[in-house]
C-alpha cells in the first residue's frame, strides 16, 4: 500500500525560519510513524553515488555467486509453501565503533574501504545530530541520549550491507521478515529504483518510498524504552521483488554494550516509578535476548527484561 503522507523532511530547514515547523514534523513522525525520510541532510550526493556504485559492484563480484549457490542448496527456487525461517537477502556487516572490522573483511577492496569509512563518519555525525533534535523535542537536556548511549566505552555503530536479488517466489519468501530494530536510531540509504521496504501503520503495511539520495530514519527499541513509550519502534519488513535487485545499507547507532537503558525520569509522569512502563536493563543483555526473538513481538522481550531489572538495582546498591 502506498501512502503519500509518509513523512519526508528537509533537514536543511532546521537552521532557518522553518525550524519550528520542521521540529514539529520530526516529533510527529517519531510519535506516529517511527519512521521518516530525510532529504537535504548534508551528506554529499557524490559520496552516496559512489557508495551505491561500489556496493553493487562488490555484490556482483564477491557475493552474487555465493547467494545463487545458497538458493540451490536450500531448494528455494522450487518452494511451494511459505518459508518462515529464512530471508531472501545477501548481507555482510561493517562495524565502525567501538572498533572497525573493515580491515578484517578480506574481499573489500581499498577504494570501497575508504569510501565506507567516510560514509560511516558522515552517518555517525548525522545520527548524533538527530539524537539531539529528539532531545529538544522531548524536553530532555541536550546530549542526554548520546550520554545514555555512550555507557562506559562509547556507542556501537555499524552498517548492515544488504542486497535483495530478484526472487522467483516473492509471495512465499520475504526479503526480510517483519521485526522491530533492537537498537537506537537507524539510518538507511536504500535503492532509489527498486522498492520493497514497508512499515506497519494502523494495521496496514505502508511502502517506504524510494527516493534518490534520501536517508530513511527509524527508531529502535531502546528509544521506545528511554522515551517511556512516547516514541515507538515500529514493525517493518522487506518484500522480495520478482524483477530488479534492491540495495540497502542500514546503519545502526546503538548504545554501548554496558549502557544501562531505562525511561528518562523527565518522561515518567510525576516522576513516579509506578508510571515507568518499561524496565531497566543493560543493553548487551537485551541484545542477547533479541537474537533469538528478533522476529517475534517486542512486548514479551520488554517483559522478560523486567526480570533483570531488580538485579541491576541491587548491583547499583552494592557498588555505590
Amino acid at each position: 500500500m502506498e501512502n503519500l503522507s509518509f513523512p519526508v523532511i528537509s533537514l536543511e530547514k532546521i537552521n532557518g525560519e522553518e525550524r519550528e515547523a520542521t521540529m514539529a514534523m520530526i516529533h510527529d513522525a517519531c510519535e506516529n510513524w517511527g519512521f521518516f525520510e530525510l532529504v537535504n541532510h548534508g551528506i554529499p550526493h557524490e559520496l552516496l553515488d559512489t557508495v551505491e556504485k561500489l556496493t553493487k559492484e562488490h555484490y556482483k563480484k564477491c557475493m552474487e555467486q555465493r547467494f545463487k549457490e545458497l538458493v540451490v542448496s536450500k531448494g528455494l527456487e522450487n518452494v511451494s509453501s511459505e518459508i518462515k525461517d529464512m530471508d531472501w537477502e545477501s548481507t555482510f556487516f561493517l562495524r565502525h565503533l567501538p572498533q572497525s572490522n573493515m580491515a578484517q573483511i578480506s574481499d573489500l577492496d581499498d577504494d570501497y574501504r575508504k569510501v565506507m569509512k567516510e560514509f560511516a563518519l558522515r552517518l555517525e555525525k548525522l545520527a548524533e545530530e538527530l539524537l539531539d533534535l529528539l532531545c529538544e523535542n522531548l524536553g530532555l537536556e541536550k546530549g542526554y541520549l548520546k550520554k545514555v548511549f555512550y555507557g562506559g566505552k562509547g556507542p556501537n555503530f555499524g552498517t548492515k550491507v544488504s542486497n535483495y536479488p530478484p526472487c522467483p517466489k516473492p509471495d512465499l519468501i520475504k526479503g526480510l521478515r517483519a521485526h522491530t530494530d533492537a537498537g537506537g536510531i537507524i539510518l538507511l540509504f536504500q535503492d532509489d529504483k527498486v522498492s520493497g521496504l514497508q512499515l506497519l501503520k494502523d494495521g496496514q503495511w505502508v511502502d517506504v518510498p524510494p527516493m534518490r539520495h534520501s536517508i530513511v530514519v527509524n527508531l529502535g527499541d531502546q528509544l521506545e524504552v528511554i522515551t517511556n513509550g512516547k516514541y515507538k519502534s515500529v514493525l517493518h519488513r522487506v518484500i522480495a521483488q520478482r524483477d530488479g535487485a534492491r540495495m540497502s545499507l542500514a546503519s545502526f547507532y546503538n548504545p554501548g554494550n554496558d549502557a544501562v537503558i531505562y525511561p528518562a525520569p523527565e518522561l515518567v509522569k510525576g516522576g513516579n516509578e509506578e508510571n515507568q512502563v518499561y524496565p531497566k536493563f543493560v543493553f548487551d543483555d537485551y541484545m542477547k535476548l533479541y537474537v533469538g526473538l528478533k522476529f517475534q513481538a517486542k512486548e514479551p522481550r520488554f517483559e522478560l527484561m523486567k526480570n533483570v531489572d531488580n538485579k541491576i538495582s541491587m548491583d547499583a546498591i552494592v557498588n555505590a
Side-chain angles (χ1 to χ4, degrees), residues 9-28 38 133 137:
I9 298 169
S10 177
L11 193 60
E12 68 179 0
K13 293 181 179 179
I14 211 75
N15 297 314
E17 294 179 357
E18 296 181 62
R19 177 182 175 81
E20 185 176 343
T22 304
M23 290 295 289
M25 289 177 67
I26 293 172
H27 186 60
D28 180 75
L38 287 180
L133 295 179
N137 270 335

Side-chain angles (χ1 to χ4, degrees), residues 173-205:
I173 184 168
K174 297 286 187 297
L176 181 59
R177 288 161 286 168
H179 64 285
T180 64
D181 289 325
I185 191 166
I186 300 88
L187 308 182
L188 171 70
F189 174 46
Q190 66 170 343
D191 203 291
D192 67 307
K193 297 179 179 66
V194 181
S195 63
L197 179 61
Q198 296 181 329
L199 64 92
L200 190 66
K201 179 168 173 56
D202 302 328
Q204 292 186 306
W205 289 104

Side-chain angles (χ1 to χ4, degrees), residues 22-23 30 45 51 63 68 70 77 98 107 112 121 128 136 180 218 223 240 244 276 287 289 307 312:
T22 304
M23 290 295 289
C30 290
H45 291 178
V51 168
M63 302 188 72
K68 289 178 178 178
L70 175 67
E77 288 182 315
D107 61 9
Y112 195 25
L121 288 172
E128 293 180 346
E136 184 176 338
T180 64
N218 73 282
L223 284 177
Q276 181 174 307
M287 288 305 297
L289 180 70
N307 296 331
I312 293 174

Side-chain angles (χ1 to χ4, degrees), residues 8 127 200 278:
V8 178
L200 190 66
Y278 295 83

